[in-house]
Amino acid sequence: MEFQNSYLNLGKNFYQQILPTPVENPQLLLWNQQLAKTLQLSGALNDDHDRAQILSGNRIHDSSTPIALAYSGHQFGHFNPQLGDGRAHLLGELFDLNKRRFDIQLKGSGATRFSRQGDGRCALKPALRELIMSEALHALNIPSSRCLAVVSTGETVYRDLPQPGAIVTRVAQSHLRVGTFQHFGSRGDTESLKKLLDYAINRHYPEIDVNADEAQKALEFLSAVSNRQITLVCHWLRVGFIHGVMNTDNTTISGETIDYGPCAMMGDYHPGTVFSSIDAQGRYAYGNQINIAIWNMARLAESLLPLLAPEQDAAISKAETVIKQLVTDFTKAYRVMLANKLGFAYSDESDWHLIETFLGLMQSNELDYTQTFLALTQMLNGNRLTEETATILKSWLPDWLQRLGISGSVDEITTKAENHQQSATSIPHEKTDNVTDAITRMQHANPAVIPRNHHVEDILERYQQALLSGKGKQQAQTQLEQFLSVLRTPYCETELTAQFQDAAKDKDKGYRTFCGT
């Protein structure tokens, strides 16, 4: 294991060089073996003791120079010029098997000059939540940071109630944020902005010529980052993920999901779904996430204005062109995503009425988002819809089937498939290939299981209680590992999947998530 430290070359105004604060009794709780293998760490950290010492910050590897990164950010629409890593230390960067560079960061590793009177620590539950949710999103084919390990500290963290402390090791393509560019843009530090732009291009966008004209590469960079936001947020919407705190300091330049504090999953479909306890106005509700992503890209554009053109009006005009195109492209991508969930190869204006009608039926009848799309997928495989779902969708289903090129009534199609007792490709109708293609698209777009909020909370509570009491630790560990094994294969059903597919009995009424700080 040999850390690289490329951030150090940016200059001291980009970070604070500071060691993690040692903890009392670090113990390795969870180790992501698959990720460790990808990062070529299998033989580098020899045992659980070594892993706990290094990944708690108690021991610093010879090649590591820990730093806390500086950045600013808009938090719920209000600009804060001085944020930064208040409870995180970047140990350095490692290369994976494919020669890709990744940051290795400790979260909950102690205070820095960016802590703003915080204790710099992380409680156990938020650390475990980050591991569960990031692994789930990664398996759902959504760009995300990941967790290499969770280490308990043997210390108590004080929030509303005393809680056991933990440190999570986060792995990301980088920790550059929109807020990083805002940090220097808001200060009028054009030289640092140029340096940051070149670093970000070299690290994430090699297709952009870093030696090109400053204005040209800044414009291409803004467009490229915006495109990654389209991909990311449409994936969130595809599976019902609600980030909960889409501040600009949580918006990565790489297009990865980062910061899993108040995140949650939508059960019943409703665009206004929000669970974050700190989002009283619903700014970051499920259905607002596209608009917020566009807003965040406009803030990135503002930071880049000094590089886009010497004259502000010309720079604004260039930025507005990119943002207007982003709005158009986001709308198109969102519609294509929903079309794929319904099995369509493409989406045109005539499809949108069909899609909107379906979403309206789900919303007005409080249908579960994941279960309903999965039921339609399985219906094409010969399974019958539940009586309730079939009744609600009765007037819509014939139009959907016709759009897929499938003839016959719903009952006829499912009955024929059941009688044949064969796969979806054997449903007898005139255009079999249409069904085969539709099922393939739907199976890729619609997971069989998601990290349901009530299951996540149950796992977290059981694990914490076992750790505190010293009783049932092995059982809690097994339950967590079983949950993770199911979440890591979300598009196929295993013998354990059914244990975690059910929606919450109370439909998540009153459910709230917290940021963990």
Side-chain angles (χ1 to χ4, degrees):
M1 181 172 70
E2 188 74 20
F3 285 111
Q4 302 292 312
N5 301 278
S6 65
Y7 280 97
L8 298 180
N9 297 326
L10 288 170
K12 293 186 177 180
N13 57 334
F14 284 80
Y15 55 82
Q16 178 194 16
Q17 188 172 327
I18 183 172
L19 294 174
T21 304
V23 297
E24 185 176 311
N25 183 29
Q27 298 291 325
L28 184 72
L29 299 179
L30 291 161
W31 175 250
N32 191 332
Q33 181 61 37
Q34 187 273 333
L35 180 56
K37 184 177 180 180
T38 300
L39 292 170
Q40 307 178 82
L41 287 175
S42 299
L45 299 174
N46 297 322
D47 55 33
D48 287 358
H49 177 75
D50 283 347
R51 293 165 184 168
Q53 288 296 314
I54 289 178
L55 300 181
S56 65
N58 275 22
R59 185 196 308 164
I60 305 302
H61 192 273
D62 290 344
S63 62
S64 171
T65 304
I67 57 174
L69 302 182
Y71 48 85
S72 303
H74 274 88
Q75 299 182 305
F76 291 88
H78 302 286
F79 185 65
N80 188 331
Q82 188 64 55
L83 294 174
D85 288 334
R87 55 174 181 156
H89 293 75
L90 179 65
L91 297 182
E93 304 130 34
L94 295 176
F95 289 92
D96 73 356
L97 292 168
N98 295 313
K99 307 301 181 184
R100 296 175 301 182
R101 185 187 296 265
F102 287 90
D103 282 358
I104 311 298
Q105 183 197 64
L106 302 183
K107 184 176 178 181
S109 45
T112 73
R113 68 178 173 89
F114 306 113
S115 295
R116 292 173 293 156
Q117 299 181 325
D119 60 10
R121 293 304 189 189
C122 179
L124 175 66
K125 282 186 177 181
L128 293 177
R129 172 187 290 274
E130 179 144 350
L131 183 139
I132 291 170
M133 296 303 295
S134 61
E135 283 299 285
L137 261 65
H138 175 74
L140 287 163
N141 300 320
I142 301 174
S144 175
S145 62
R146 297 181 69 188
C147 292
L148 176 64
V150 176
V151 175
S152 64
T153 63
E155 300 175 351
T156 300
V157 172
Y158 294 92
R159 299 294 181 255
D160 291 338
L161 296 171
Q163 301 175 47
I167 295 172
V168 61
T169 304
R170 182 160 64 187
V171 179
Q173 291 181 45
S174 86
H175 286 83
L176 296 178
R177 312 151 190 266
V178 170
T180 315
F181 283 82
Q182 289 181 293
H183 185 75
F184 298 104
S186 65
R187 288 163 170 74
D189 187 349
T190 305
E191 289 308 307
S192 292
L193 203 58
K194 290 178 180 179
K195 190 182 295 186
L196 179 61
L197 175 64
D198 285 351
Y199 181 84
I201 289 173
N202 282 324
R203 186 147 181 183
H204 297 298
Y205 299 97
E207 68 274 17
I208 299 175
D209 182 3
V210 75
N211 297 312
D213 171 77
E214 201 80 55
Q216 181 62 31
K217 65 184 179 185
L219 192 64
E220 290 183 22
F221 175 75
L222 175 61
S223 180
V225 175
S226 296
N227 286 336
R228 289 203 187 174
Q229 297 304 311
I230 293 174
T231 299
L232 178 65
V233 176
C234 283
H235 272 310
W236 289 353
L237 300 176
R238 175 175 62 82
V239 302
F241 177 76
I242 306 165
H243 186 278
V245 60
M246 289 178 67
N247 296 331
T248 56
D249 57 295
N250 294 327
T251 303
T252 61
I253 295 304
S254 62
E256 293 172 282
T257 312
I258 200 169
D259 196 330
Y260 287 91
C263 70
M265 302 299 297
M266 181 173 65
D268 290 353
Y269 175 75
H270 195 295
T273 304
V274 59
F275 295 112
S276 173
S277 61
I278 57 174
D279 191 6
Q281 305 302 316
R283 175 181 173 87
Y284 300 138
Y286 171 80
N288 287 347
Q289 293 180 118
I290 285 179
N291 288 334
I292 292 300
I294 294 170
W295 193 89
N296 288 346
M297 289 300 97
R299 306 290 76 76
L300 176 61
E302 287 175 351
S303 299
L304 292 171
L305 287 179
L307 307 184
L308 289 173
E311 307 230 341
Q312 189 174 55
D313 287 348
I316 291 174
S317 178
K318 288 183 178 181
E320 285 179 342
T321 299
V322 174
I323 300 303
K324 287 178 181 177
Q325 186 62 47
L326 175 61
V327 174
T328 300
D329 291 345
F330 239 131
T331 300
K332 180 180 179 181
Y334 174 65
R335 292 187 176 190
V336 169
M337 178 274 291
L338 286 171
N340 287 336
K341 285 179 72 67
L342 289 171
F344 306 159
Y346 60 90
S347 175
D348 56 30
E349 285 301 318
S350 62
D351 290 330
W352 187 238
H353 174 71
L354 188 64
I355 294 171
E356 280 191 311
T357 300
F358 176 67
L359 295 177
L361 288 170
M362 278 204 298
Q363 181 176 337
S364 60
N365 291 279
E366 297 184 344
L367 292 183
D368 185 87
Y369 184 71
T370 301
Q371 290 180 352
T372 305
F373 276 107
L374 181 62
L376 291 179
T377 307
Q378 293 175 335
M379 192 194 93
L380 295 186
N381 267 320
N383 294 340
R384 287 185 177 277
L385 297 174
T386 64
E387 184 176 349
E388 178 190 11
T389 303
T391 299
I392 291 170
L393 300 180
K394 183 178 180 180
S395 62
W396 176 84
L397 284 169
D399 292 335
W400 174 59
L401 292 171
Q402 184 180 24
R403 170 63 178 81
L404 291 175
I406 301 174
S407 60
S409 69
V410 176
D411 285 340
E412 287 175 337
I413 291 166
T414 55
T415 300
K416 288 175 183 176
E418 288 166 355
N419 290 340
H420 277 68
Q421 294 182 346
Q422 294 177 3
S423 66
T425 58
S426 297
I427 295 178
H429 56 80
E430 294 180 0
K431 297 182 179 179
T432 302
D433 287 346
N434 289 350
V435 179
T436 305
D437 293 342
I439 290 173
T440 298
R441 278 187 288 273
M442 294 177 75
Q443 287 177 334
H444 281 92
N446 300 315
V449 65
I450 58 171
R452 296 272 181 183
N453 302 326
H454 63 292
H455 285 302
V456 172
E457 295 301 330
D458 180 59
I459 294 285
L460 296 182
E461 183 61 28
R462 287 173 183 264
Y463 200 99
Q464 178 166 289
Q465 288 305 316
L467 193 67
L468 287 171
S469 67
K471 299 177 181 179
K473 291 172 66 176
Q474 186 56 52
Q475 183 180 1
Q477 186 81 19
T478 299
Q479 186 183 31
L480 173 56
E481 289 175 355
Q482 287 178 340
F483 189 39
L484 286 170
S485 73
V486 169
L487 295 178
R488 284 168 173 155
T489 56
Y491 296 102
C492 61
E493 298 188 50
T494 68
E495 60 183 15
L496 295 174
T497 301
Q499 297 181 29
F500 303 107
Q501 283 180 301
D502 59 303
K505 292 180 179 179
D506 64 354
K507 289 181 171 286
D508 286 325
K509 302 297 184 186
Y511 178 65
R512 291 290 177 268
T513 56
F514 302 87
C515 68
T517 55

